[in-house]
Amino acid sequence: MPIVMIEWPDILGPTSEIVLEEYLFAMLVSLAASVATYALYVLFYRDWQRGAGIHRVFLLAGPAITLLFIAIQWSLPLSLGLLGALSFVRFRTPIKDPAEIGYLLVIIASSIGAATYNYELVGILFAIVAAVLIAQRIFGSTGLRGLASGSRDLIITMPAEDYTEHESSLLEFLRANLRGFKVASTTQNAGAASLHINFRRSRLDDRWGEFRQELETVVSPASVELYVG
């Protein structure tokens, strides 16, 4: 019986064409970008302790996304199945602030840049992101958004039944304590009601702990979740 000899290159995948040093350097750049994004999130995102906690995945997500795109760029079927492969990803904690989504996009963009060896574009991306975040910090608590409209956001989430019962007293309390009070939207889903408010200033001057205590007194005994942007 003849013995079939298999050459080592024959059992390797198409990504074996990548030089090992290039692959390792791309992974290091991706990891460095993930660390930088993590640092920017903690330094400049003022609600990171109360947010969805997405920064905890940054250090793993960056290299993982880079490897994913290095692998699929050699295969059209794999690239077409990318969305299906990632469909299992779910966020147990809802991401209510678009700023957190922005940090996720930075991670994804830098990882793709590292996977395609466009390191200069990754550097330009972080230079622009850092400049924008520093500008927001310099221009005050409302950032560049405040220069445009001077408005801030308040999102109140509570059980839908309690919201229906206390809606009038809740709106009266908000109108008395928030300057420039305006209801942006009201949504109800899965037994929870979310009230999105635009305002310019608070009567309590950012003492949101005291504000929450007074609000809970108004809607007692309902539980209330607050997000202030």
Side-chain angles (χ1 to χ4, degrees):
M1 181 176 179
I3 299 176
V4 179
M5 301 297 295
I6 300 178
E7 297 292 335
W8 178 252
D10 294 336
I11 65 174
L12 295 177
T15 54
S16 61
E17 301 175 15
I18 302 176
V19 179
L20 179 60
E21 290 77 6
E22 293 181 354
Y23 166 73
L24 291 177
F25 187 73
M27 295 298 290
L28 288 175
V29 171
S30 177
L31 180 59
S34 301
V35 173
T37 307
Y38 186 99
L40 292 174
Y41 182 93
V42 173
L43 289 174
F44 292 99
Y45 184 62
R46 63 178 176 269
D47 293 323
W48 69 273
Q49 292 178 321
R50 296 182 297 170
I54 60 170
H55 62 294
R56 293 177 294 180
V57 78
F58 286 171
L59 301 183
L60 297 178
I65 295 173
T66 297
L67 175 59
L68 176 65
F69 277 92
I70 287 177
I72 68 172
Q73 66 180 312
W74 299 92
S75 173
L76 180 59
L78 285 177
S79 63
L80 293 177
L82 175 61
L83 293 179
L86 296 179
S87 63
F88 67 93
V89 177
R90 296 290 186 272
F91 290 101
R92 186 174 298 275
T93 302
I95 298 179
K96 301 178 181 179
D97 188 2
E100 292 190 294
I101 300 177
Y103 286 98
L104 281 176
L105 291 177
V106 171
I107 282 287
I108 295 173
S110 60
S111 299
I112 295 176
T116 55
Y117 311 122
N118 291 305
Y119 306 125
E120 298 86 353
L121 296 181
V122 176
I124 293 174
L125 170 65
F126 276 94
I128 294 176
V129 169
V132 170
L133 293 176
I134 291 173
Q136 284 184 318
R137 178 64 59 85
I138 292 176
F139 285 120
S141 60
T142 57
L144 298 178
R145 179 186 59 184
L147 294 179
S149 62
S151 66
R152 301 182 65 182
D153 297 314
L154 172 65
I155 298 177
I156 301 174
T157 304
M158 58 189 300
E161 294 182 357
D162 294 323
Y163 175 78
T164 302
E165 179 181 355
H166 300 285
E167 181 178 9
S168 59
S169 57
L170 173 62
L171 294 178
E172 182 179 353
F173 171 81
L174 294 174
R175 191 174 292 107
N177 287 272
L178 301 176
R179 298 180 182 177
F181 167 85
K182 180 181 179 182
V183 177
S185 65
T186 304
T187 59
Q188 295 191 24
N189 185 27
S194 293
L195 178 64
H196 184 184
I197 301 296
N198 295 135
F199 70 99
R200 288 193 299 272
R201 290 191 61 185
S202 168
R203 177 181 63 84
L204 298 177
D205 296 327
D206 286 342
R207 299 197 302 274
W208 295 110
E210 184 178 346
F211 180 90
R212 178 169 183 166
Q213 290 179 354
E214 294 184 9
L215 177 61
E216 289 179 339
T217 301
V218 173
V219 299
S220 179
S223 60
V224 177
E225 293 183 9
L226 293 184
Y227 165 76
V228 183

